[in-house]
Amino acid sequence: SLGNIMTNDNRQIAVEIIEHSPSLAIRISGGDEKGQALFITQNICQYGYEPDDFLGGKLSWFDVIHPDDVGWLLERLEHYEKTRTDVFVNEYRVRRADGSSVWVQDTSTVVRDTNGLPMYADCVISDYSLTKKSIERIEDNYRQQGVLNEILRSLHGSDSDKALHIIFDRTGVY
C-alpha cells in the first residue's frame, strides 16, 4: 500500500500539498464516535474554523453541514454502508463560521477493519460553488430555450395570439 512506502518526509509533503490547495482533507471516525474528526488539515480555517474545533470534539463534521442537507446526506451514507460502497462523491452545503454557506464536493473513501466494519473515512472536501452556479445557469438556459421553442412553434403555426399568451404567461409582460 502507498502508506507503507511513504516516508515521514513524503507524508509531510502530501499534507503540505493539501494545505496549499483550496481543498481540505479530513479523516472522520466511522465507529462509535461517527462523524468525529481524527485528522483535519489546517486549511479548515478558510471556513472560519480552527482544527482544534474538530479535533477537540467541540464540532463534528455533521455540525457544519447545512441543516437542509444533513437528512438526505445521512440517508445516502446509510445506503453506501448497506451496499458496502467504500468510495463515493457527494455535493452538499457547508456552513462557514460566519453563517454563510458554500457548496462543496466531498470525495470519500471508507477504510474497514478485518471484520468489514468501517473504522474511518478519508475525505477530500473541495469548493463546488462555481460548478454549481454553472450547472444552474445551464439548466436555466435549457428552460429558456424550451420557452422560445414553444413560442416559435406557435408563430410557425400562424397563431400569434397563442404566442403572445405564452410570452405573457412566462414573462408577465405583454
Side-chain angles (χ1 to χ4, degrees), residues 35-128:
Q36 283 304 127
L38 303 172
F39 170 84
I40 192 164
T41 52
Q42 291 289 323
N43 56 359
I44 186 62
C45 295
Q46 66 187 313
Y47 296 100
Y49 301 105
E50 293 296 323
D52 287 341
D53 294 338
F54 296 90
L55 299 174
K58 178 180 169 187
L59 293 172
S60 79
W61 187 246
F62 294 108
D63 292 332
V64 299
I65 296 173
H66 193 283
D68 293 344
D69 296 344
V70 171
W72 66 260
L73 183 59
L74 287 173
E75 286 176 16
R76 210 177 259 181
L77 294 174
E78 284 178 30
H79 171 75
Y80 295 145
E81 180 56 30
K82 285 179 187 172
T83 60
R84 296 185 62 92
T85 303
D86 289 341
V87 179
F88 45 86
V89 178
N90 288 297
E91 292 87 25
Y92 53 86
R93 291 167 292 176
V94 169
R95 289 180 303 162
R96 293 184 177 114
D98 66 8
S100 64
S101 294
V102 60
W103 279 96
V104 297
Q105 184 175 67
D106 175 346
T107 304
S108 297
T109 303
V110 175
V111 176
R112 297 178 182 277
D113 65 16
T114 54
N115 296 321
L117 298 173
M119 295 189 307
Y120 55 85
D122 288 332
C123 311
V124 175
I125 312 293
S126 304
D127 190 324
Y128 189 68

Side-chain angles (χ1 to χ4, degrees), residues 145-160 162-163 166 170:
Q145 186 65 44
V147 170
L148 289 173
N149 287 341
E150 215 177 311
I151 292 168
L152 290 173
R153 277 194 298 274
S154 295
L155 289 174
H156 182 71
S158 298
D159 190 349
S160 57
K162 183 176 179 185
I166 290 170
R170 298 292 198 271

